[in-house]
Amino acid sequence: MNVQKTNNTKDKVRQLQIKLYLSAKKSSSRRYHALYDKTYREDVLKRAWRVVKSNKGCAGIDKETIEEIEEIGVDTVLNGIAEELKTGTYRPQPVQRVEIPKDNGKTRPLGIPIVRDRIVQAAVKLMIEPVFEADFKDCSYGFRPKRNAHQALETIRKACNNKGIWVLDADITGYFDNINHDKLMMLIEKRISDRRILKLIRNWLKAGIMENGKYLNSELGSPQGGVILSGGNFCKCWYCSLLSLVTWVHRYKKYLLSLIQSQFAINHL
């Protein structure tokens, strides 16, 4: 494949995404079973490579950088990835554990996949993101395309100007570190029935972690730092894991409202 030939590549991928989104929006119960073969399409892998390159991430456990892939030849690398996906020989590598400082003095653990795994993750993300995007409420801003925290703050500002008096600030401690893999897969399977896609996602979850030269099993949680199963960049299915949070909020919204009302009454005694 020739990476330099990008005419209409974006349009073709985008057209496919729009088609998936519209069909998912039309039927909230539809499950998709024929997505895997699209992940190794030439135009999809080209787009995935551009996404990974634009993120400017560091190397994983194999020490191979984006620059080194360009030296090898992007065409060569993408052709190799496509062949592995076609033949079913693709196997993800463990992520590299990196600790980054937080404002409160603590650290946040990141899991950095190798660049080639990030390309495959980006390709899968391109195919499944439109499906899950169709299920999200308009009030949801986290890790969504063309949405950000500033937009959420603006929505809150407008609500407050419109006689809104309550802002609920809540957080689930260690949420991405404690995601149950089986429950996450159950959520994904509500929309995706393609067994090869599901196998890829589960393999990423179970790929393991390399920390200080030691291999650690990943039986729980979703590493932040990748393209598709991260809390920092996308699940961004990054997305799929957030579905459980959305479900939790809707399930307990009556309780939350009663709690707010009770607090309001106490403050005005």
Side-chain angles (χ1 to χ4, degrees):
M1 62 179 69
N2 188 350
V3 177
Q4 301 301 319
K5 295 180 180 179
T6 58
N7 292 338
N8 296 325
T9 295
K10 181 177 180 181
D11 289 340
K12 290 179 181 179
V13 175
R14 186 58 183 158
Q15 287 171 8
L16 175 57
Q17 289 183 305
I18 292 173
K19 183 178 180 180
L20 289 169
Y21 172 81
L22 292 176
S23 63
K25 197 70 174 177
K26 185 177 180 180
S27 174
S28 61
S29 61
R30 178 173 177 178
R31 301 174 70 217
Y32 292 79
H33 66 277
L35 296 176
Y36 183 87
D37 61 330
K38 297 175 178 60
T39 62
Y40 53 78
R41 265 177 34 176
E42 180 179 353
D43 55 347
V44 172
L45 284 176
K46 285 180 181 179
R47 176 81 173 275
W49 160 251
R50 291 199 297 273
V51 169
V52 171
K53 183 180 178 181
S54 67
N55 287 337
K56 301 178 181 179
C58 59
I61 62 171
D62 63 353
K63 308 299 182 184
E64 185 178 55
T65 64
I66 290 174
E67 292 73 22
E68 288 173 334
I69 283 183
E70 291 180 316
E71 290 177 5
I72 296 171
V74 177
D75 287 348
T76 300
V77 172
L78 295 186
N79 282 328
I81 290 174
E83 184 62 24
E84 288 184 1
L85 289 172
K86 287 179 184 178
T87 59
T89 56
Y90 167 76
R91 297 291 184 274
Q93 298 298 306
V95 299
Q96 179 69 55
R97 170 63 56 82
V98 177
E99 300 283 346
I100 61 172
K102 297 171 65 175
D103 294 337
N104 59 7
K106 297 181 180 180
T107 61
R108 182 191 306 278
L110 295 185
I112 311 299
I114 66 173
V115 177
R116 298 182 189 226
D117 284 343
R118 299 205 297 267
I119 294 172
V120 181
Q121 289 182 6
V124 172
K125 171 181 176 288
L126 288 170
M127 295 300 99
I128 70 174
E129 181 176 54
V131 175
F132 289 104
E133 176 66 19
D135 292 335
F136 276 82
K137 304 297 183 182
D138 191 55
C139 60
S140 175
Y141 290 89
F143 312 122
R144 296 182 63 185
K146 299 181 180 180
R147 290 189 171 226
N148 54 54
H150 295 291
Q151 293 171 330
L153 289 172
E154 178 62 15
T155 299
I156 293 173
R157 186 190 67 80
K158 290 180 179 179
C160 290
N161 288 340
N162 191 28
K163 299 182 179 180
I165 59 173
W166 286 97
V167 175
L168 177 63
D169 184 4
D171 186 26
I172 300 178
T173 303
Y175 177 68
F176 287 99
D177 297 331
N178 294 284
I179 292 176
N180 182 290
H181 292 175
D182 291 333
K183 291 181 179 179
L184 172 58
M185 293 306 299
M186 285 176 60
L187 288 169
I188 297 173
E189 289 169 12
K190 288 182 179 295
R191 278 301 209 168
I192 308 298
S193 60
D194 189 320
R195 292 185 178 181
R196 291 181 294 180
I197 290 288
L198 296 173
K199 183 179 179 180
L200 276 178
I201 296 174
R202 187 173 287 279
N203 284 346
W204 286 324
L205 288 169
K206 301 293 186 184
I209 301 166
M210 290 297 294
E211 183 174 16
N212 298 324
K214 295 182 179 180
Y215 174 81
L216 305 174
N217 289 323
S218 49
E219 299 297 331
L220 190 69
S222 174
Q224 301 183 60
V227 175
I228 192 170
L229 291 166
S230 157
N233 290 337
F234 156 64
C235 175
K236 287 163 180 157
C237 206
W238 18 265
Y239 268 176
C240 301
S241 54
L242 285 178
L243 280 175
S244 60
L245 179 58
V246 172
T247 301
W248 183 88
V249 171
H250 282 283
R251 181 175 298 170
Y252 294 102
K253 63 183 178 182
K254 290 184 178 179
Y255 168 75
L256 293 172
L257 287 174
S258 65
L259 183 65
I260 291 172
Q261 290 168 353
S262 299
Q263 186 63 44
F264 181 80
I266 292 172
N267 291 340
H268 287 77
L269 287 177

